[in-house]
Amino acid sequence: MRIFVDARSLLEKKPSGISRYSKQLIYSLLTFYPDKKFVLFTNSYTNNDSLQIYRAFPNCEIVSTRIPNKILHASFGVLRFPSLETFAKKCDVYFFPNVMYLPRLPFASVLTVHDISYLQLPRAYSFRNHLWYRMVRARSLIGGAREVVVDSIATKRAVLQHFPKKKQNISVVYPALIKPTLPVQRKKSDHLLVLGDIDERKNIYGILSAYEQVRSQDNSYKPLLFVGKRGYVNLRASTLRLFNTLKRRGWIQERGYVSEKEKWDLLSHAQGLVFVSFYEGFGFPGLEAESLGIPIIASARTCMPEVFGKGPLYVNPDNIQSIVHAMQLLPTLSTHVSYDNPLVTRSWEQVASVMMNIFTKVAYENRN
């Protein structure tokens, strides 16, 4: 079987969660299916060493173009040209690990949709964000894919609300934990951690408001540390004001985007993880915290109870007092929580196996 893979996300200079997912999945497919041929499509106007690890696989063919991204995106998005078949000989299956600028999808296409929060929670996105989803034709791509893969049952339900015709062509494939390169041990806690992009979808105002109340009542409470790239373009003015006010008081700290090594180090020092988003498609930070036994405050919404299991303190993200109560309770909990969650021990070999079954099914349907 010859499988085309859109590997453009592997070239991100600051890898996102989706980029890390793509990297781990592609590496696993190449490792566990040496009898399959994988054609990785990438585009970079400058030289990039990110693909060296894949060149060592004899079952991997890399097709790289050197077109400025703006030109390629405009060509794909507006002209629907060139077709993907232009870049590689005819493939049995075309796999897209995430929604990006693409021309018309081939019939035998498999598309991973990590979340559709831009449809479920439009208020959390700026005009510019919504314009991007229009230009990339996200709805058209989801509707046109032969098979849609989602990360959770909650995301499947959300997709089917907007795309009911996909009922027979949508599969849930839980990702696995992306483990650190070296083993990580818990260390002395010195902060409460918020891990992920700083934007309205993450309920930043609710976190800040709750923390302000808790810290006002107990000045010895651990500082609140934000780790993740800024999404300030999506933050309301009231959220920004409160963020800056608490920052000036020295109650909160911000580290911005960090490497994987730094992230795991900061996680190992966390008294707890605050993950009270309005919407998530999967939620890697929660699994990462569970792997270290770190207490979690999480939203009882969308995929989080499904993915994180019974261990976290669940809150109503719309109710600030619910978050306040959980923050006050957190220091009284055991410093190490035992989570009985099979997703923490799930392997990428298992993920690759399920994906290969989907590829095989789509390839068979394409031939018939």
Side-chain angles (χ1 to χ4, degrees), residues 328-341:
Q328 291 171 332
L329 187 61
L330 190 70
T332 69
L333 300 179
S334 169
T335 55
H336 187 281
V337 180
S338 295
Y339 294 96
D340 183 19
N341 186 349

Side-chain angles (χ1 to χ4, degrees), residues 55-69:
R55 297 186 193 279
F57 287 93
N59 59 332
C60 179
E61 175 187 338
I62 297 177
V63 176
S64 297
T65 55
R66 294 173 59 85
I67 305 170
N69 278 327

Side-chain angles (χ1 to χ4, degrees), residues 105-176:
L105 294 181
F107 176 82
S109 57
V110 178
L111 173 68
T112 298
V113 177
H114 296 282
D115 74 66
I116 55 168
S117 52
Y118 57 95
L119 295 176
Q120 296 288 94
L121 196 69
R123 72 176 189 274
Y125 288 81
S126 67
F127 172 78
R128 182 179 177 182
N129 296 140
H130 283 293
L131 182 61
W132 184 87
Y133 281 107
R134 279 182 172 273
M135 292 176 65
V136 84
R137 299 181 300 112
R139 294 185 68 113
S140 176
L141 293 176
I142 295 172
R146 179 62 183 174
E147 188 77 17
V148 170
V149 172
V150 292
D151 298 331
S152 63
I153 295 173
T155 303
K156 177 180 177 179
R157 292 195 194 103
V159 169
L160 290 178
Q161 285 179 15
H162 296 272
F163 305 90
K165 292 182 180 179
K166 305 306 293 184
K167 188 174 183 179
Q168 303 303 319
N169 301 97
I170 186 168
S171 302
V172 177
V173 182
Y174 292 111

